Amino acid sequence: MGYRPGRHFLQIPGPTNVPDRILHAIAYPTIDHRSADFADLTNACLEGMKRIFKTTGHVLIFPGSGTGAWESALVNILSAGDKVLAFDGGHFAGLWTRVANNFGVTVDLIPGDWRHGANPHALEAKLRADRGHEIRAVMVVHNETSTCVTTDIAAIRKAIDAAGHPALLMVDTVSSLGSIDYRHDEWGVDVAVAGSQKGLMLPPGMGFNAISAKAIEASRHATLPRSYWRWDEMLDMNRKGFFPYTPSTNLLYGLREAVKLLLEEEGLENVFRRHKRHAEATRRAVRAWGLEIFALNPAEFSSSGTAIVMPDGFNEADLRAVILRHFDMSLGAGLGKLAGKVFRIGHLGSLNDLMLAGTLCGVEMGLELVGVPHRKGGVTEAMAWLTEQAKVSAPQA
Ligand SMILES: *Cc1c(COP(=O)(O)O)cnc(C)c1O
């Protein structure tokens, strides 16, 4: 492959663009993970992640991916034969369910059409019917990356409380944390799952759990086999600033930098506003093209990505291949039963207005090249929205 000038546009909904400052931080020489300096690094990362999860409880950092953090959530609080509730909301919800099944956990799947978030009313009814309190936990995906539909986690919490049910609440925040407001303590979540490569703007390679006191208590009695993902050993070593085994030292350098960017320099609430602005600009472009947004409920539109329905007779894989070949941009594929049917624009992580405009230009040109029926002017609509937003928000000095 020849030289490709400029930056590759990585507009999939994770992994996301890694800021140069994070790449530079990762390039520091690796240090001894049992040294005093390392404890400072650990503490900065753990304290920062608590603020990002909005929790005063514990956060755990594992070398691994989001899938590892899913497994960690399950094996620490459940026992073989336990029953859990999950929602058939998309590809990632299905994969997490499969991990639970692989451990002998019985998953009762609440049906869904993939175009709406998890239904709190269906959940409440299921929990009310469970008079013996056999259901140990509820698994929900905050932002279902395959469909670009979000779920109202506060409403899920309310449903569990309304049913007076003791089930633990587990939430996948892999593609929402650091992009869409997530409030671990306020929403009474027991175990949250996250990964490094999406809103946190890091390369892939770390998984996270945020855990409540109730989850820690449950972990003392749960009997699923676990070793690498043990919370007790991790918590014990973390107290002194260390890890039970070699952590991802260089990714932790990157995380310390990401925490600084998100919390201190841009500010989390500004980060969420920026994601909302870009998501709205993208939807305006899609509507102007005359294409269909896959998510049906505007209250559930995702700020981290937008899934767009391909018109009949066109395959999203062809569109993505043409855009990659001509404009060096990667877009998200249709996953699971959506393969061939939807493509996704990732607009999360380190992204500014012009990067988004460039992304939408690439899509509009790609639609033309592939001959997908559409109207021109999506990019113009997005520009108009971004311009309006620039007028009402004073630029940072
Ligand atoms: C990306 C993603 C995952 C999987 O994470 P990996 O790091 O690929 O293991 C899980 N859940 C959601 C919602 C995701 O977007």
Side-chain angles (χ1 to χ4, degrees):
M1 211 186 323
Y3 172 63
R4 290 175 171 179
R7 276 277 169 116
H8 171 65
F9 270 57
L10 185 63
Q11 299 312 134
I12 57 177
T16 63
N17 298 291
V18 181
D20 290 354
R21 275 178 54 186
I22 291 181
L23 289 173
H24 292 155
I26 289 170
Y28 294 158
T30 305
I31 57 169
D32 174 6
H33 61 286
R34 312 270 182 213
S35 67
D37 280 355
F38 203 91
D40 293 341
L41 173 63
T42 304
N43 291 332
C45 289
L46 290 175
E47 288 312 309
M49 286 307 293
K50 285 181 195 178
R51 287 171 61 198
I52 291 172
F53 275 111
K54 298 190 176 173
T55 182
T56 56
H58 291 285
V59 171
L60 301 97
I61 306 174
F62 296 98
S65 78
T67 302
W70 271 344
E71 178 167 328
S72 173
L74 296 166
V75 298
N76 277 286
I77 63 168
L78 298 174
S79 304
D82 272 356
K83 198 172 154 186
V84 302
L85 277 186
F87 297 85
D88 181 18
H91 184 65
F92 289 100
L95 291 177
W96 195 10
T97 296
R98 200 180 66 184
V99 178
N101 284 327
N102 286 343
F103 279 98
V105 169
T106 304
V107 183
D108 185 354
L109 207 57
I110 297 175
D113 65 358
W114 286 30
R115 301 187 78 167
H116 294 87
N119 182 341
H121 306 293
L123 173 65
E124 188 178 332
K126 280 271 186 193
L127 293 175
R128 279 188 191 280
D130 178 38
R131 291 181 206 285
H133 292 172
E134 280 176 25
I135 296 164
R136 288 286 299 145
V138 176
M139 299 160 61
V140 197
V141 178
H142 186 200
N143 182 72
E144 175 53 71
T145 324
S146 63
T147 60
C148 299
V149 173
T150 56
T151 282
D152 180 350
I153 302 299
I156 294 293
R157 173 78 264 165
K158 254 196 205 149
I160 298 172
D161 292 346
H165 199 288
L168 293 149
L169 175 57
M170 288 193 270
V171 178
D172 173 332
T173 71
V174 179
S175 62
S176 57
L177 196 73
S179 304
I180 300 169
D181 195 11
Y182 172 76
R183 307 176 182 190
H184 191 78
D185 287 0
E186 186 182 320
W187 296 341
V189 178
D190 293 297
V191 188
V193 172
S196 55
Q197 76 274 29
K198 304 199 179 171
L200 298 176
M201 310 178 291
L202 294 158
M206 288 191 298
F208 305 86
N209 284 155
I211 58 178
S212 71
K214 187 175 162 191
I216 293 176
E217 181 54 29
S219 75
R220 298 202 172 98
H221 311 287
T223 61
L224 276 182
R226 70 196 98 131
S227 172
Y228 187 81
W229 308 111
R230 290 189 75 95
W231 288 348
D232 52 358
E233 291 172 7
M234 185 64 86
L235 288 172
D236 207 41
M237 291 299 288
N238 281 176
R239 260 186 275 281
K240 302 167 202 109
F242 301 113
F243 288 79
Y245 40 79
T246 317
S248 311
T249 304
N250 291 58
L251 286 180
L252 291 172
Y253 291 148
L255 179 59
R256 181 169 56 186
E257 192 68 16
V259 158
K260 219 186 280 170
L261 297 179
L262 291 169
L263 294 175
E264 287 164 31
E265 299 192 22
E266 187 173 5
L268 262 192
E269 304 311 312
N270 290 329
V271 171
F272 302 148
R273 270 194 283 277
R274 170 168 57 81
H275 281 77
K276 276 189 183 162
R277 181 173 81 241
H278 290 162
E280 178 61 28
T282 302
R283 291 189 296 265
R284 284 174 185 238
V286 175
R287 291 192 195 104
W289 290 324
L291 298 180
E292 187 184 354
I293 296 165
F294 186 69
L296 290 177
N297 177 3
E300 296 172 337
F301 284 159
S302 169
S303 290
S304 22
T306 300
I308 300 151
V309 180
M310 282 305 277
D312 279 343
F314 294 88
N315 190 312
E316 48 88 13
D318 299 331
L319 175 68
R320 287 186 302 100
V322 163
I323 290 172
L324 178 63
R325 190 163 67 241
H326 289 279
F327 308 120
D328 198 18
M329 175 163 74
S330 293
L331 294 168
L335 296 175
K337 69 182 183 190
L338 298 179
K341 298 191 169 74
V342 309
F343 68 99
R344 297 168 300 145
I345 300 175
H347 35 72
L348 76 167
S350 180
L351 196 69
N352 64 27
D353 289 8
L354 293 188
M355 290 164 80
L356 181 75
T359 299
L360 297 173
C361 283
V363 175
E364 191 162 321
M365 292 189 288
L367 292 169
E368 168 76 26
L369 284 172
V370 174
V372 176
H374 70 289
R375 291 191 298 267
K376 293 284 156 210
V379 173
T380 308
E381 280 299 314
M383 283 166 61
W385 168 252
L386 294 173
T387 309
E388 278 316 301
Q389 294 301 297
K391 283 180 192 162
V392 296
S393 73
Q396 284 175 344

